Amino acid sequence: MKIIGKRFHHSSFGHLKNSYARNKTILLLCLICIYGLSNAQTAKQTIQGKVYDKITNQPLSGANIVLMDSDPILGTITNFEGEFFLDNVAVGRQNIQISSIGYKSYQVYEILVSTGKQITLNIGLEENIAELGEVLITYKPAKNKAINTMATVSSRQFTVEETQRYAGGLDDPARLVTSFAGVASPALNSNGISIRGNSPSGLLWRIEGVEVPSPNHFANLLISGAGLFTALSSQVMGNSDFFTGAFPAEYGNATSGVFDIKLRNGNASQRETSFEAGVLGVNFATEGPFKKGNEASYLFNYRYSTMALISPILPDDAGILKYQDLSFKVKLPTKKSGAFSIWGIGAYDGIDTDPLDREEWESISDKENSRTSIYMFASGINHQTSLWSNASLNSAIALSGNGLEHKEMRLDDNSNLQPKSSASNNDYRLTLQSSISQYLGEKHINRTGFYINHLGYNLNVKQTDFTGSVPENSIIENGQSELYQFYSQSKLKLSNKLTLNAGFHTLYFNLIKEFSIEPRVALSFQLNKKHAIAFAYGLHSKMESLPIYFIKDEGNSVNKDLDLMKSNHFVLSFNSMLSENLKLSIEPYYQSLNNVPVAPNSYITTLNTQENLFFNTPLVSTGTGRNIGIDFTLERYLNKGYYYMFTTSVFDSKYTGNDDIERNTRFNKNFVLNAIVGKEWQMRKEKNNLLSTNLRLNYLGGNRVETIDVENSLINKDIIYGETNGNLSFANQHPSTPIVSFTVSYRKNKPKYSSVWTLQVLNATRTQEFQTDIYNLNTNTVEQSYSRIMIPNLSYKIEF
């Protein structure tokens, strides 16, 4: 069969010119036929990219790029810079195989090719080495294998396209991963990520390899470590990794999981633009080369709240959520000094609430007047270069931070506003980091690096428990500190079937003068071509949120003696490829927690914190905890327009306080079930358009019940939590919640552009979910408030 190479052109129609001179009628008929055939042909697009050694970053010339299942075979090879262009690729779902002598072949499956946007792939290949005389057996990796070569268990790669396709995702990577085994959302109005019973605050967020604050709108406002929805547009994200336990040694300052997000490069060959308008927001993105023929490129995205745009026509007391965000990446390759990139993300949010009229008062929150603004940012310069033939250096310098300004007043019985609370919290992080990845032998890969973080903070929190009294400082601090981290990890190919990952991570937090050394080890064994088992252990630690350390009690910062909380992760993994597109994964795990911050004389702990803005409890590091469970995943990868995924997680999450009483954690839902099924159809005769549907059922154990001190609540006419009469907090649960969501989209591919109509609905059946406890001012009783929130998002996007 013939391989169609790079920039292949069809032959001309010169013979028709002579026919024209002989017979005008025949020519006219031919032109009509040609015009009709051209209109009926499937639209085409270009796939471009770069292939390189995954460890040294050296470009791989002569690598073969083949469009799988094409007839005749459509393919090309990379040039001396490792670059390739594959033209004349039909729109729709396509599979690409990349191979090079001495390297493991790599497949990219079900790429969605459209006319409005070229596809850019950056593929790192791993060496495939066997000892002399050894028979080399090639094992086909799972399609969602993590990008990080050091990952062994509890990890998977996800694509941006999945955030758009999976029901309930709402183009939000944080909501997407709640489809995965072991992950639960604390509430429908939150994109928090509770992994294996842990608090969302235990998660590490990284962008372009740099630790950043939670990149979510309204972050930490309702639940610590969570927000309402992502501040990262799907227009700028690339394929990324998500870890749920026993993660590699390069990840530190996290106890539950890791979200390692990559930003894609802008198109370096042509300019492209997209515009999207929907219920949740209006989005504009543009990308392209700075100069044609130059590899330098830019990518920019801006988004603004739709509700903020139409707020002038809405009621004054509507409580509008106003938000905006921007993100960008600039790629600046050089000929001799490696590649530089400049990236950034920023978000700004605001919400104002006004008190209701007196006759509408039901709970004390109806009397409140508040003004809140929140921001976050992260920006950095990354540098990547090859040191020598077997090593590469990756470095970055970045500045990130977040802040909040909040002022709240409350109407007294005479309808006069009285000060209730205020907060002005601002912190930043200056980061310098670098790592070396290298081959230390034919079967030994090592990655060693460091992070230096300079932390700055300016914290001022005031609050009062009684209407009419003067708010007092619970936190007031302005200063700086440092966080140092160093790690080294090796991947050793002990045999063709046995692989060892071993390393360590160290962390020193200067504020509390504590050092932690954390071993990490993982062993994987390939039983045969379809089945593999693995075991991993890791010790992980994390500093608390900075305001926790500066809580005042009689003028003293009482929590500066806290130790780093530590979590030992043990994971056993079994993976089986039941067929080419069907994978079964089973992971039992156990986590042992030490140095858990707990209150000296109550059930309070940072493991259960919902919002820490006004958290003011003195703590000691004497608590312990444990999480035990098992995750099941049965996933059929998208193939021939059909896919599904079923996940089941059964777990138990408990902690023991300073009083030696074992309790459930707030996030101990006990079980999470997910069922996702989707189907795609190529529409019209020429198959240029795509109709996609996706349905998701998410069934979760109910939220845990925090006990209420009813007597004090009646006295204060407000909810006061506390354990009385031997009732333990979190012993009981609210009813389990079945959440049904769906997504329907229709993509049209025209010669010069493509467009997409999408309808996404979260909680389509309006399932009732517990929201909060309230004191009813009219009946003088303690009640529970439930919500039936349904989040619809109808949007239209055009790409050209």
Side-chain angles (χ1 to χ4, degrees), residues 148 150 204 206 209-210 247-253 260 392-396 432-438 446-453 484-490 502-508 515-520 539:
N148 192 315
M150 298 294 179
L204 169 67
R206 298 210 321 182
V210 177
F247 21 96
E250 70 180 84
Y251 301 112
N253 197 29
D260 196 357
S392 65
L393 176 69
N394 292 270
S395 304
L432 174 65
Q433 62 186 60
S434 189
S435 67
I436 295 177
S437 299
Q438 59 184 323
N446 178 268
R447 183 175 299 146
T448 299
F450 68 86
Y451 311 100
I452 300 176
N453 298 285
Y484 303 98
Q485 299 175 77
F486 177 82
Y487 66 89
S488 183
Q489 182 160 348
S490 288
F504 65 90
H505 187 101
T506 62
L507 183 150
Y508 178 75
F515 176 80
S516 175
I517 183 166
E518 304 161 9
R520 315 278 175 91
L539 176 61

Side-chain angles (χ1 to χ4, degrees), residues 39-202:
N39 280 344
Q41 289 178 349
T42 302
K44 307 290 185 180
Q45 184 56 278
T46 296
I47 297 178
Q48 60 176 305
K50 186 173 184 177
V51 182
Y52 57 91
D53 185 295
K54 201 167 188 177
I55 302 302
T56 66
N57 290 318
Q58 293 277 8
L60 297 179
S61 61
N64 293 303
I65 316 298
V66 176
L67 185 70
M68 300 167 65
D69 302 320
S70 57
D71 187 14
I73 293 177
L74 181 63
T76 186
I77 61 174
T78 57
N79 60 22
F80 287 107
E81 300 299 324
E83 300 166 336
F84 69 88
F85 287 85
L86 186 61
D87 293 326
N88 299 314
V89 179
V91 299
R93 296 286 179 181
Q94 301 291 353
N95 302 321
I96 300 291
Q97 177 168 293
I98 303 97
S99 59
S100 183
I101 296 175
Y103 289 85
K104 297 178 183 178
S105 63
Y106 189 90
Q107 295 81 31
V108 185
Y109 295 98
E110 303 299 337
I111 305 168
L112 182 57
V113 181
S114 68
T115 54
K117 187 175 185 58
Q118 290 186 349
I119 301 295
T120 301
L121 302 175
N122 289 296
I123 306 298
L125 298 184
E126 296 182 52
E127 279 196 353
N128 202 3
I129 301 172
E131 291 181 358
L132 186 62
E134 181 181 9
V135 178
L136 185 63
I137 303 174
T138 301
Y139 303 106
K140 191 172 182 178
K143 296 182 180 180
N144 55 14
K145 182 182 177 183
I147 300 171
N148 192 315
T149 57
M150 298 294 179
T152 304
V153 300
S154 302
S155 60
R156 69 172 285 158
Q157 177 186 171
F158 70 91
T159 69
V160 179
E161 193 263 333
E162 286 175 325
T163 69
Q164 302 165 332
R165 172 161 47 94
Y166 279 19
L170 295 177
D171 297 348
D172 186 339
R175 291 187 183 272
L176 164 71
V177 299
T178 60
S179 303
F180 302 158
V183 186
S185 174
L188 280 169
N189 62 355
S190 165
N191 70 349
I193 302 172
S194 174
I195 301 173
R196 294 174 173 174
N198 288 287
S199 166
S201 62

